[in-house]
Amino acid sequence: ALYPIHKVYPLEDIRRVRPKQSQQVLSFPAHLPVPNAGYSPVARPQSKGFSNNRKWRWIPLADAQDFKGRTRGNPAWMLLNLGGPHAGSVFAGLGYTRLPSDGDGALFDAVKSMAQRMTGGLFLAEGGSGRFSYWPGEKITLGAGICNVGDTQKSAKVSVTVKSKNGKPLLEFTRGVKVAAHEKTKISRSWTPQRLKGTPYHVDIRLVSDGNTRDRISHEIGRLRPGKPADEKFVSVRGDDFYLRGEKWYPVGINYWPSYVAGMRRDDYWAGWLKPAYYAPALVEKDLQRMEELGMNMVSIQLQWHHEMRNMLDFLRRCRKHNIKVMGFLKPTAPHNFQRKKVKNYIEKAKLSTNPALFAYDIIWEPGNWMFKTGRRDRWDDEWKAWLEERYGSIKKAEKDWEF
């Protein structure tokens, strides 16, 4: 099935369904009917960014909003397949199972509009910057991928605009493209801004045909902070307690995986959400904002490895903005196979020793699931015995003390 039950969820307490202002794919009516019973797919990565080898681009077309104006899901959407057995195809969905009696007309118009767009040819396959956060002085790569799902060659223009957080134009360029039927192409250029002033920047990619914007992708570009901040910004240890800014600090949080992994296949899920193909910073940002509102101040994540490092640094930047500290598992620190050189190189390259968002390293992830169920821990039996005898005098005394 296109959307099995674990990839969708019911929409409840919906007041209105409003087409997304940011999408340029469809010309919907001002409002779609509110479903008596409806569904939204779990959100997916939307191909923000450039050259990330995405498997798909999910395009939400309408927001279902509750009585407080909060978006609860997306009952209208498209999915542009960029890889795998369905590459070059487009799926679309309307999550309506029961309609109000006066809603048929608007919904039929939406179906017609979606079908016309699906057969219209050109889509943005991706668009934005090569990374989501940069060090001052780094060269930024900006670009877009364009795919033609139609049966004839298509021509269009791709417009790229970068603005400061205050809306000041910083860069703009346009490239013409011709894309053969069922083919892809890319455009790109490099840019080195001075000191990344006025961040976060906003990059906007538009696909323009016959004078009209046919598709659009946008996202922010953040600034990574060089140098070491004041000591008070770091979590420290005194006695048995954590301290932050001179006061006791108690971590309240979760093992974090983005909410959107709930809709991913197992092989995609296990590949790691920081991998360029799966990292979706706008969706992660929503999660962090929600966690901050709930009073969380800490998450535990897997730092993964070098090809995910830049997304990890973008994630730490966002955590810092939301006053959330991170405990990061770094696989080469595991005591059964500690790799000192790799650990040292990773920490230095990512400048983690000067990043106050990271407060601790997890040196072995969930060892009860694998380490303690195998013979891998036997190598420490002699050291464990020596520690018990030093601490308690004998194993028998330790057992008595522990009531074991």
Side-chain angles (χ1 to χ4, degrees), residues 172-194:
E172 185 172 356
F173 67 93
T174 301
R175 299 277 176 81
V177 294
K178 290 184 179 180
V179 191
H182 308 293
E183 294 293 337
K184 302 176 185 177
T185 192
K186 291 184 177 183
I187 63 101
S188 66
R189 66 161 288 183
S190 297
W191 173 54
T192 306
Q194 292 184 350

Side-chain angles (χ1 to χ4, degrees), residues 87-390:
S89 65
V90 185
F91 301 159
L94 284 163
Y96 287 75
T97 56
R98 292 203 309 273
L99 282 174
S101 58
D102 60 348
D104 288 1
L107 199 63
F108 289 150
D109 288 344
V111 171
K112 179 181 177 181
S113 184
M114 292 170 74
Q116 289 175 337
R117 183 64 186 92
M118 290 171 71
T119 58
L122 293 181
F123 283 87
L124 287 172
E126 60 177 353
S129 56
R131 294 166 177 168
F132 295 106
S133 293
Y134 287 84
W135 301 106
E138 270 193 306
K139 180 172 64 176
I140 296 176
T141 299
L142 298 161
I146 306 93
C147 65
N148 183 0
V149 300
D151 294 327
T152 60
Q153 178 177 284
K154 299 287 184 179
S155 298
K157 293 182 179 180
V158 179
S159 171
V160 179
T161 304
V162 182
K163 295 182 179 181
S164 71
K165 65 180 179 181
N166 297 323
K168 178 183 177 181
L170 302 173
L171 177 72
E172 185 172 356
F173 67 93
T174 301
R175 299 277 176 81
V177 294
K178 290 184 179 180
V179 191
H182 308 293
E183 294 293 337
K184 302 176 185 177
T185 192
K186 291 184 177 183
I187 63 101
S188 66
R189 66 161 288 183
S190 297
W191 173 54
T192 306
Q194 292 184 350
R195 292 181 292 176
L196 287 175
K197 283 187 174 181
T199 54
Y201 293 164
H202 182 83
V203 56
D204 189 52
I205 313 293
R206 295 174 185 253
L207 182 67
V208 181
S209 177
D210 299 325
N212 298 314
T213 299
R214 299 281 290 168
D215 204 351
R216 182 180 182 185
I217 296 177
S218 60
H219 69 82
E220 75 170 34
I221 300 175
R223 177 181 182 269
L224 298 174
R225 303 183 189 184
K228 183 181 178 181
D231 288 345
E232 66 175 14
K233 295 184 181 295
F234 292 81
V235 174
S236 61
V237 177
R238 299 183 206 166
D240 297 331
D241 293 299
F242 291 121
Y243 280 79
L244 181 63
R245 298 185 181 90
E247 298 182 357
K248 287 185 178 181
W249 179 79
Y250 298 95
V252 179
I254 56 173
N255 272 4
Y256 176 70
W257 296 78
S259 55
Y260 60 83
V261 303
M264 293 168 62
R265 290 170 55 92
R266 186 180 185 277
D267 52 343
D268 295 323
Y269 171 88
W270 282 110
W273 58 272
L274 286 171
K275 190 175 182 179
Y278 304 120
Y279 183 57
L283 299 177
V284 167
E285 180 72 24
K286 289 183 179 180
D287 287 346
L288 292 173
Q289 182 177 355
R290 186 177 298 115
M291 286 189 285
E292 184 181 26
E293 292 171 352
L294 291 171
M296 296 185 194
N297 62 5
M298 170 267 182
V299 293
S300 179
I301 69 166
Q302 297 184 14
L303 299 181
Q304 297 177 7
W305 208 229
H306 285 285
H307 56 294
E308 288 96 6
M309 180 185 291
R310 296 306 291 258
N311 288 337
M312 179 271 293
L313 290 175
D314 180 74
F315 178 74
L316 292 181
R317 175 183 70 84
R318 295 172 185 275
C319 286
R320 189 172 176 181
K321 180 173 64 174
H322 292 285
N323 300 306
I324 291 174
K325 299 294 184 179
V326 177
M327 179 171 70
F329 167 61
L330 193 57
K331 189 174 181 179
T333 63
H336 70 287
N337 187 28
F338 183 72
Q339 300 171 63
R340 181 181 180 86
K341 186 176 180 180
K342 281 189 174 182
V343 172
K344 183 176 184 292
N345 288 343
Y346 186 90
I347 291 174
E348 290 179 348
K349 186 174 182 180
K351 299 180 174 65
L352 293 182
S353 63
T354 60
N355 195 322
L358 186 72
F359 86 99
Y361 291 102
D362 181 346
I363 64 171
I364 186 165
W365 185 274
E366 298 179 352
N369 290 339
W370 55 282
M371 174 64 74
F372 299 148
K373 293 181 180 179
T374 68
R376 296 183 183 184
R377 68 175 177 85
D378 295 350
R379 70 182 73 182
W380 296 297
D381 281 357
D382 291 342
E383 295 172 68
W384 174 238
K385 180 182 177 182
W387 181 85
L388 288 173
E389 291 175 344
E390 178 186 354

